[in-house]
Amino acid sequence: MSVSGLQSSASYQSDFTFKEVSKNSPIGTTYLSVEMLLEEKGVLGVLEKTNFNFPNFPEANKNFQVYYLNLTDDFREVKSILQGLLALGQPEVLVLDYEKELDRFNLKFYQHHEPKVLAYLKGIFEVLANEKRFKKVLKRVIEVEKLKKAEEKFLYKELMA
């Protein structure tokens, strides 16, 4: 390789300003609590929140969280699906059940299990959101089919008249 070839590659490198690619850390990475997730997703509304610690056993350092929840109006149509998902089973770290007499859901877990609770709730909310979207699309398809049949009926009448 000659000196002139070396100089041309050096000038190429100095002219090209883009030198490297780096991945920035995500901006605004904040801690997401169960309450924040419930507000964000809008599936279950918080009626009441309570927590209990165990003062007789301070060395346990356990904090028990209880949320009393109801389905928001937007998700009332998928209530039976949510109940079915709950009947399929849940992780051992939480209890999410439906209280029929009061028409509300109860979510119970220890504070230190919150990341697992968040993961479970995200999965449930994703299934419910997909189901809601599916029902919306299905309703629209049925409406279009009805309009199509009515149009065909009208055209048939016009042709036969």
Side-chain angles (χ1 to χ4, degrees):
M1 180 179 228
S2 69
V3 175
S4 63
L6 188 58
Q7 287 175 340
S8 65
S9 71
S11 68
Y12 171 76
Q13 288 180 351
S14 66
D15 292 340
F16 192 68
T17 58
F18 185 75
K19 303 232 187 243
E20 69 179 70
V21 176
S22 65
K23 181 179 176 185
N24 292 337
S25 62
I27 297 173
T29 54
T30 57
Y31 173 74
L32 184 66
S33 69
V34 169
E35 193 166 1
M36 291 163 55
L37 178 71
L38 292 170
E39 287 177 21
E40 179 184 306
K41 297 298 180 180
V43 177
L44 294 168
V46 179
L47 297 171
E48 186 180 346
K49 174 190 172 187
T50 59
N51 59 0
F52 309 99
N53 56 14
F54 300 95
N56 295 342
F57 303 99
E59 66 278 356
N61 197 23
K62 290 189 176 182
N63 192 353
F64 194 69
Q65 302 284 318
V66 180
Y67 287 85
Y68 301 103
L69 311 162
N70 66 345
L71 272 172
T72 59
D73 292 336
D74 291 346
F75 284 87
R76 283 261 174 219
E77 63 188 17
V78 294
K79 181 179 181 179
S80 59
I81 294 169
L82 176 57
Q83 290 173 323
L85 289 171
L86 297 180
L88 287 174
Q90 302 165 12
E92 293 178 1
V93 298
L94 68 99
V95 174
L96 180 57
D97 59 353
Y98 178 66
E99 202 172 349
K100 187 175 181 177
E101 300 79 30
L102 298 173
D103 189 31
R104 71 178 184 191
F105 292 88
N106 303 320
L107 174 63
K108 304 168 192 167
F109 61 95
Y110 285 106
Q111 182 71 38
H112 63 276
H113 290 298
E114 193 166 32
K116 292 178 183 176
V117 174
L118 286 169
Y120 176 74
L121 289 176
K122 285 178 184 178
I124 292 287
F125 293 162
E126 183 179 339
V127 169
L128 294 177
N130 288 340
E131 183 64 26
K132 185 179 174 200
R133 187 174 73 64
F134 172 75
K135 284 186 173 192
K136 183 179 177 182
V137 170
L138 184 61
K139 282 180 186 177
R140 183 65 183 137
V141 167
I142 290 170
E143 288 173 6
V144 167
E145 285 296 316
K146 284 181 182 178
L147 289 173
K148 196 177 189 183
K149 286 188 186 233
E151 188 177 305
E152 286 174 1
K153 196 179 213 182
F154 175 74
L155 288 174
Y156 184 73
K157 281 184 180 179
E158 288 295 315
L159 286 173
M160 295 301 159

